[in-house]
Amino acid sequence: MGRLFVVNLEGKVYSCKHCKIHLALVDDILSKSFQSRHGKAYLFSKVVNVSVGEKEDRLMITGLHTVADIFCIGCGSIVGWKYEFAHEKSQKYKEGKSVLERFKVSGPDGSHYWVSHETHVGGSDADDV
């Protein structure tokens, strides 16, 4: 295995909840209205310090997409997915963008978003306000 190069971002950053490696800047958020199986998810124009998994077709709320899971390069945990191809014309804007699942990252203020095993998602998410 080769040497691991980590990009350190400056400013307000989202980082891996487990190992604290920087993943994205607040300024690169395109949307906070995404949903995952576990709750809130944010669409980013750019993420760093991730590796991209195998491409696969997934049927999502907005239609069929070819996506690849993205993994933190520090600890290997899955942190979201990358849109490789959108089959619906109206969804093409997502191509090349990445989604980070909110409960898998720490917010810019160090907050965590926890998944409740009940019917709703709860936790500290001050940066949503």
Side-chain angles (χ1 to χ4, degrees):
M1 186 168 171
R3 177 177 243 178
L4 183 67
F5 290 97
V6 176
V7 176
N8 287 310
L9 301 172
E10 292 193 27
K12 293 183 177 183
V13 300
Y14 285 90
S15 56
C16 176
K17 176 169 81 172
H18 302 289
C19 69
K20 307 299 183 225
I21 283 185
H22 293 175
L23 298 173
L25 288 168
V26 169
D27 294 340
D28 291 330
I29 294 176
L30 298 174
S31 174
K32 289 186 176 184
S33 63
F34 278 64
Q35 284 292 116
S36 75
R37 291 181 300 261
H38 307 289
K40 292 183 179 191
Y42 298 165
L43 180 69
F44 287 85
S45 59
K46 178 182 169 186
V47 296
V48 297
N49 299 324
V50 296
S51 61
V52 181
E54 296 288 321
K55 294 179 187 177
E56 67 179 15
D57 287 339
R58 287 188 195 157
L59 186 57
M60 299 182 158
I61 295 170
T62 56
L64 185 63
H65 298 276
T66 302
V67 299
D69 288 333
I70 53 176
F71 302 85
C72 172
I73 63 168
C75 65
S77 64
I78 188 169
V79 291
W81 66 89
K82 180 178 180 180
Y83 286 101
E84 299 289 347
F85 182 75
H87 297 268
E88 304 277 333
K89 188 176 181 179
S90 66
Q91 301 299 306
K92 293 287 186 185
Y93 74 96
K94 295 177 184 175
E95 292 180 349
K97 310 296 188 298
S98 297
V99 171
L100 295 178
E101 293 186 81
R102 187 62 183 97
F103 88 102
K104 296 182 178 183
V105 298
S106 293
D109 60 356
S111 66
H112 294 291
Y113 187 81
W114 300 102
V115 173
S116 171
H117 293 290
E118 298 171 11
T119 56
H120 70 281
V121 176
S124 173
D125 204 11
D127 57 347
D128 263 350
V129 180

